[in-house]
Amino acid sequence: MDTPVTNVVFDMGGVLMNFDGPYFSAQFTDTPEDAAALNAALFGSPLWTLLDSGTISHETMARYARAHLPERLHPNLADCIAHWPEHSAPLEATNELAIRLKREGYGLYLLSNASTRIMEQLNHMPAMSYLDGYLVSGMERLMKPDPAIYELLCRRYYLDPATCLFVDDNADNCEGARVAGMRAFHFTGDVAVLEAEIRALR
């Protein structure tokens, strides 16, 4: 029989918090065309992944984005860079599930591909104060789906990977967790199905 799951490891963006570059960009521009340009230069840029990996600085990201936008949009870019985390809204149903699981005795962890500014999002995530630990790619210079980042989470918090269920909206990240010895659930938005899976593995 499989080892019971006693720890749930959540991704952040798309699972516990909203991450939507086009939406964020629209909050700082006046037309759909300007929003699309801002998103392409910032959130949709290939460099955004490097920012999340800790490979480049926020200053480098900003310089790149400015170079790919007309000068008239530079103030919009500056406002967006400063304030977009305020528009990253909690996904209430998954936060409620996470809090409920913690109260029932599950270990609760977060593993996110995100930059070093992640606390600007986590500070308004309801489940934050219930977490037993978290690991962030930009701080560790490791990224999902590399099995090494899941292994690091387990070492840091003394977890047996066999007791962990990893939850992510990216199927490749789920596969990385499985390689590291965890079980994984590809989250597509149905919290009831997720909860049923967790209950079935207890």
Side-chain angles (χ1 to χ4, degrees), residues 127-191:
M128 176 60 189
S129 62
Y130 294 84
L131 294 178
D132 293 293
Y134 61 90
L135 207 65
V136 180
S137 62
M139 298 175 182
E140 308 297 339
R141 297 197 173 188
L142 286 171
M143 289 190 77
K144 300 176 292 184
D146 188 338
I149 195 169
Y150 309 88
E151 293 163 358
L152 177 60
L153 176 80
C154 291
R155 287 198 306 275
R156 184 164 296 172
Y157 295 107
Y158 305 100
L159 302 174
D160 178 352
T163 67
C164 298
L165 177 69
F166 175 69
V167 181
D168 201 299
D169 62 333
N170 182 305
D172 290 335
N173 292 344
C174 291
E175 185 56 31
R178 293 186 185 102
V179 172
M182 296 180 176
R183 276 166 282 187
F185 181 89
H186 181 207
F187 182 67
T188 58
D190 193 326
V191 178

Side-chain angles (χ1 to χ4, degrees), residues 10 32 40 42 48 54 56 63 69-70 74 76 85 104 113 129 143 146 159 163 166 168 180 183:
F10 285 94
L42 188 62
W48 190 263
I56 65 169
R63 283 198 302 272
L69 286 170
H74 289 184
N76 305 73
E104 292 175 12
N113 283 350
S129 62
M143 289 190 77
D146 188 338
L159 302 174
T163 67
F166 175 69
D168 201 299
R183 276 166 282 187

Side-chain angles (χ1 to χ4, degrees), residues 34-191:
D34 285 352
L38 177 55
N39 179 62
L42 188 62
F43 305 106
S45 162
L47 268 68
W48 190 263
T49 299
L50 298 181
L51 184 66
D52 282 352
S53 72
T55 306
I56 65 169
S57 67
H58 290 281
E59 292 75 15
T60 296
M61 183 72 251
R63 283 198 302 272
Y64 172 91
R66 281 195 298 272
H68 287 78
L69 286 170
E71 188 172 351
R72 65 180 179 80
L73 287 179
H74 289 184
N76 305 73
L77 172 66
D79 285 346
C80 184
I81 289 173
H83 297 292
W84 74 261
E86 299 164 22
H87 298 274
S88 177
L91 300 179
E92 297 296 340
T94 43
N95 273 267
E96 290 168 5
L97 172 60
I99 293 167
R100 193 159 63 247
L101 292 170
K102 178 59 181 174
R103 288 172 174 166
E104 292 175 12
Y106 284 86
L108 195 64
Y109 299 87
L110 182 139
L111 179 57
S112 180
N113 283 350
S115 80
T116 54
R117 290 179 64 191
I118 191 173
M119 291 308 300
E120 295 175 48
Q121 294 170 273
L122 295 184
N123 282 340
H124 59 275
M125 185 182 82
M128 176 60 189
S129 62
Y130 294 84
L131 294 178
D132 293 293
Y134 61 90
L135 207 65
V136 180
S137 62
M139 298 175 182
E140 308 297 339
R141 297 197 173 188
L142 286 171
M143 289 190 77
K144 300 176 292 184
D146 188 338
I149 195 169
Y150 309 88
E151 293 163 358
L152 177 60
L153 176 80
C154 291
R155 287 198 306 275
R156 184 164 296 172
Y157 295 107
Y158 305 100
L159 302 174
D160 178 352
T163 67
C164 298
L165 177 69
F166 175 69
V167 181
D168 201 299
D169 62 333
N170 182 305
D172 290 335
N173 292 344
C174 291
E175 185 56 31
R178 293 186 185 102
V179 172
M182 296 180 176
R183 276 166 282 187
F185 181 89
H186 181 207
F187 182 67
T188 58
D190 193 326
V191 178

